[in-house]
Amino acid sequence: MTTDPPDTAPISPSKEHVECKELDVDVEFGGIEARNKLERRLLLKLDLHMSMLILIYILNFVRLTADLHLEGPQFATLLSILYVGYVMMQVPSNMFLNYIGKPSLYLPACMLIWGVISALTGITTNFVGALLTRFFLGFVEAAFFPGAVFLISKWYKRTEIGFRLAILYCGNMISNAFGALIASGILANMDGIRAQAAWRWLFYIEGSLTVTVAIMAVFVLPDFPTTTKWLTDDERRLALKRMEEDAGVGDQLETENGGFGYGFYLAISDWKVWWITILLIAQVVALSFTVYFPTLTATLGYNPTASLLLAAPPWIYAVIFTFVWARHSDKTQERFFHMSISNLIGIIGSLISICTMNTAARYFSLFLMAQSNSAIVLMTTWESNTFARPPSKRAVCISLINALQQLGNIAGSYVWPANWGPTYRYSYTIVIAGNVTAITMTWILRQHLKTLNKKLEKEEQGQGIKEKGFRYVL
């Protein structure tokens, strides 16, 4: 295995740099106590503005229902076709976002377009029409998630980012918990209104909500530290300094290293990008049950309304678990064991479902499986920590990995065919295989990053540097 190219390796601080940095901390912001107060104010302001991303993520998932009268593999095809455009557009989208530096305009613009396309799904009259709207929806939705992760990584330090990404992911889990329930209410009560079928109203309402939130987001979302207008001068300088201290080198090296074209070269030439991509494809396949969760609760033998109600508690538990687990991972600055424990709990849940059809046991297994979503939250955090600088490389890495991991979603759409039910033993076996693969590959990644940390430590000792510089999170 090769180590990072010299251009991408974090820079260890010199003695002079360390002395200057300590002086800056004491003087530039009025002393340590004044800096801490300013930093708390900055983080509170950021968290309030970033909270808009949660609402956007909830609306990022347009639901398909049985009321579309789909047959055979058509439901799985409609699920998977979304990811074609999703895969194709993420890298160019994030490169463009990094170039223009205006996520407060770019992300809401894309959101507005997918809201319109979502509403247009309600006027489709056949499978082909639904297929086309889902295909084009993937192109514009591709901008949001990698863009959101990149935006968060531009503001928060390694000790802060896991919890923030967990909050973002919990938007998806909240959507899983209550989205099916809300859809059920619309389908049950709006059929025939204005001579429109209920499922059409579902898309009209979701599309209209998305457009409304997109307009609001323009005025709420932050841009990057250098382009956000609502920061004071002290807050801007502190925001930039925080990230410089966290990664060991400032964002100013962006232009020195040739811009985002060079960042693309650095990303595709780094073997860790491809390793993490394969790892996450396995992880996404292991989480393929997420889309089919109402189907799994239906195997418990209750009526449709009760089945939808039963889908909510496991996701509420998953939200709480992910909050706590990601916060603990940030506090301890440890990723591998936190990820692996989450995956192991998911494996236990799958094994229970394979071994029994007992209603209570299978329902309990859904709680164990739902919490395994925290593993992908932690891997996304670890990914951002691993590709710290330059920003153009980080932008490409986040989008490229997230794009290619959607291959797991495409494959996962076909992991739960109806003829494997109600036991779905083969499906659960595939889920277990995905979890085992993810655990194995994360352990190998950890060992490699551990080796790189020893190399950085040796370089610092050779240069006589006493202060500990950048280290990869393990």
Side-chain angles (χ1 to χ4, degrees):
M1 297 179 181
T2 59
T3 58
D4 297 69
D7 288 317
T8 66
I11 298 175
S12 299
S14 64
K15 290 181 181 179
E16 294 78 11
H17 178 75
V18 171
E19 292 173 358
C20 289
K21 185 174 76 171
E22 290 174 350
L23 183 63
D24 286 344
V25 170
D26 289 336
V27 177
E28 185 178 0
F29 302 103
I32 294 176
E33 186 176 343
R35 170 181 165 146
N36 289 340
K37 183 178 180 181
L38 178 64
E39 191 164 10
R40 288 193 295 270
R41 190 174 72 208
L42 172 65
L43 287 175
L44 177 60
K45 187 182 289 189
L46 273 176
D47 289 341
L48 290 173
H49 282 266
M50 290 288 192
S51 62
M52 176 58 70
L53 293 174
I54 304 171
L55 184 56
I56 296 175
Y57 200 24
I58 291 173
L59 294 171
N60 193 227
F61 291 86
V62 181
R63 302 180 184 283
L64 295 173
T65 72
D67 291 66
L68 290 175
H69 306 296
L70 304 176
E71 299 176 355
Q74 288 182 339
F75 182 79
T77 302
L78 283 182
L79 286 177
S80 62
I81 195 65
L82 175 78
Y83 298 108
V84 176
Y86 204 70
V87 168
M88 293 171 62
M89 288 304 297
Q90 287 198 37
V91 173
S93 175
N94 246 24
M95 291 175 70
F96 182 70
L97 176 59
N98 182 57
Y99 178 71
I100 64 171
K102 283 288 184 179
S104 67
L105 295 178
Y106 179 65
L107 295 181
C110 293
M111 185 183 182
L112 190 146
I113 295 171
W114 90 56
V116 172
I117 295 176
S118 173
L120 290 175
T121 306
I123 66 173
T124 57
T125 57
N126 53 43
F127 170 70
V128 174
L131 193 71
L132 288 173
T133 54
R134 290 280 294 178
F135 176 74
F136 289 112
L137 190 64
F139 279 88
V140 285
E141 284 196 355
F144 173 68
F145 185 75
V149 174
F150 182 54
L151 176 60
I152 290 172
S153 73
K154 293 280 282 187
W155 287 97
Y156 294 100
K157 299 191 294 187
R158 285 172 292 167
T159 55
E160 303 162 346
I161 195 171
F163 183 63
R164 270 71 182 189
L165 286 179
I167 294 174
L168 177 62
Y169 265 99
C170 284
N172 178 25
M173 297 183 201
I174 292 169
S175 180
N176 287 329
F178 300 107
L181 211 57
I182 294 170
S184 176
I186 293 174
L187 293 171
N189 297 298
M190 297 196 68
D191 192 44
I193 294 179
R194 294 185 179 275
Q196 296 286 318
W199 69 266
R200 297 187 187 277
W201 279 111
L202 178 63
F203 287 107
Y204 296 152
I205 292 171
E206 287 186 335
S208 300
L209 281 174
T210 302
V211 170
T212 302
V213 172
I215 296 171
M216 293 168 53
V218 174
F219 303 98
V220 178
L221 282 180
D223 290 316
F224 297 146
T226 55
T227 54
T228 297
K229 295 180 179 179
W230 42 258
L231 292 176
T232 66
D233 290 339
D234 284 345
E235 288 171 344
R236 191 184 316 281
R237 284 187 290 111
L238 180 57
L240 293 168
K241 192 167 191 64
R242 277 165 36 89
M243 302 312 296
E244 180 180 348
E245 292 169 348
D246 192 51
V249 59
D251 282 2
Q252 69 274 9
L253 287 186
E254 175 76 10
T255 55
E256 296 173 16
N257 279 344
F260 62 82
Y262 186 62
F264 181 78
Y265 165 74
L266 292 177
I268 64 172
S269 61
D270 191 336
W271 74 269
K272 295 193 297 300
V273 170
W274 306 106
W275 187 265
I276 293 174
T277 297
I278 297 171
L279 186 165
L280 280 171
I281 289 173
Q283 186 71 69
V284 170
V285 171
L287 296 174
S288 60
F289 63 85
T290 300
V291 179
Y292 289 87
F293 213 78
T295 301
L296 298 181
T297 58
T299 65
L300 300 175
Y302 296 98
N303 63 53
T305 302
S307 295
L308 287 172
L309 286 170
L310 289 171
W315 289 114
I316 296 172
Y317 166 73
V319 167
I320 297 170
F321 182 92
T322 301
F323 273 137
V324 174
W325 207 227
R327 186 70 188 92
H328 189 264
S329 177
D330 273 353
K331 186 176 180 180
T332 58
Q333 281 296 278
E334 197 288 322
R335 307 299 186 201
F336 167 73
F337 288 108
H338 283 79
M339 282 185 60
S340 298
I341 290 171
S342 179
N343 279 326
L344 284 171
I345 295 173
I347 289 173
I348 293 171
S350 296
L351 287 172
I352 291 173
S353 291
I354 287 175
C355 295
T356 182
M357 286 298 291
N358 177 270
T359 300
R362 285 176 73 87
Y363 189 52
F364 175 68
S365 74
L366 294 180
F367 283 80
L368 302 183
M369 292 169 61
Q371 65 74 42
S372 62
N373 276 267
S374 62
I376 202 166
V377 175
L378 294 170
M379 188 64 244
T380 304
T381 305
W382 199 3
E383 167 195 332
S384 180
N385 298 154
T386 301
F387 306 112
R389 290 294 186 270
S392 57
K393 177 184 177 181
R394 187 167 77 251
V396 175
C397 288
I398 290 172
S399 55
L400 181 62
I401 292 171
N402 191 67
L404 294 179
Q405 79 181 54
Q406 305 310 320
L407 297 174
N409 276 319
I410 294 174
S413 300
Y414 298 92
V415 169
W416 302 86
N419 60 319
W420 284 2
T423 62
Y424 290 104
R425 289 192 176 94
Y426 296 123
S427 304
Y428 287 116
T429 301
I430 294 172
V431 166
I432 291 172
N435 279 319
V436 170
T437 301
I439 292 172
T440 304
M441 294 187 71
T442 49
W443 180 82
I444 295 172
L445 176 65
R446 181 182 186 273
Q447 296 306 109
H448 176 65
L449 295 180
K450 190 175 181 181
T451 301
L452 292 182
N453 282 344
K454 289 180 179 178
K455 180 181 177 182
L456 290 169
E457 184 177 358
K458 187 176 180 181
E459 289 175 353
E460 288 173 356
Q461 291 173 351
Q463 297 173 22
I465 299 170
K466 295 182 180 180
E467 182 174 298
K468 184 177 179 180
F470 176 89
R471 294 294 186 272
Y472 290 100
V473 179
L474 304 178

